[in-house]
């Protein structure tokens, strides 16, 4: 199993729970990452940031997907339905 974390260093890390090591480093945010969540099928990761964007990531490859813009302040919460 895996854990995803976000940081003030503008990155997300995907961790291997069994080994305790960080694998993928996801980075395109231009400000701190304040929130992260896995999609219900674990295929995507979503992140919110102080750069006022929500970004969607491919959890397997780490590639950046859509950038969702529209907030006028930092994004502090994200959730999947």
């Amino acid at each position: 199993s895996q854990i995803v974390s976000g940081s003030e260093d503008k990155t997300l890390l995907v961790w291997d729970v069994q080994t305790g090591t960080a694998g993928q480093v996801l980075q395109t945010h231009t400000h701190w990452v304040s929130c992260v969540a896995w999609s219900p099928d674990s295929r995507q990761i979503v992140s919110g940031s102080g750069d006022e964007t929500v970004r969607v990531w491919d959890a397997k490859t780490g590639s950046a997907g859509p950038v969702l813009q529209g907030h006028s302040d930092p994004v502090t919460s994200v959730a999947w339905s």
Side-chain angles (χ1 to χ4, degrees):
S1 67
Q2 296 178 310
I3 292 174
V4 63
S5 61
S7 173
E8 288 187 10
D9 67 5
K10 306 174 192 173
T11 68
L12 288 77
L13 293 178
V14 180
W15 300 86
D16 182 301
V17 174
Q18 291 181 342
T19 65
T21 58
Q24 295 178 358
V25 178
L26 312 178
Q27 52 188 6
T28 61
H29 279 293
T30 60
H31 210 282
W32 43 264
V33 178
S34 58
C35 49
V36 295
W38 288 97
S39 65
D41 63 6
S42 297
R43 292 183 182 176
Q44 295 177 302
I45 297 168
V46 63
S47 58
S49 171
D51 64 12
E52 302 172 4
T53 67
V54 173
R55 296 175 190 249
V56 181
W57 310 83
D58 183 297
K60 185 175 182 180
T61 66
S63 61
V67 177
L68 309 176
Q69 297 178 313
H71 287 285
S72 58
D73 283 309
V75 177
T76 58
S77 177
V78 293
W80 290 92
S81 67

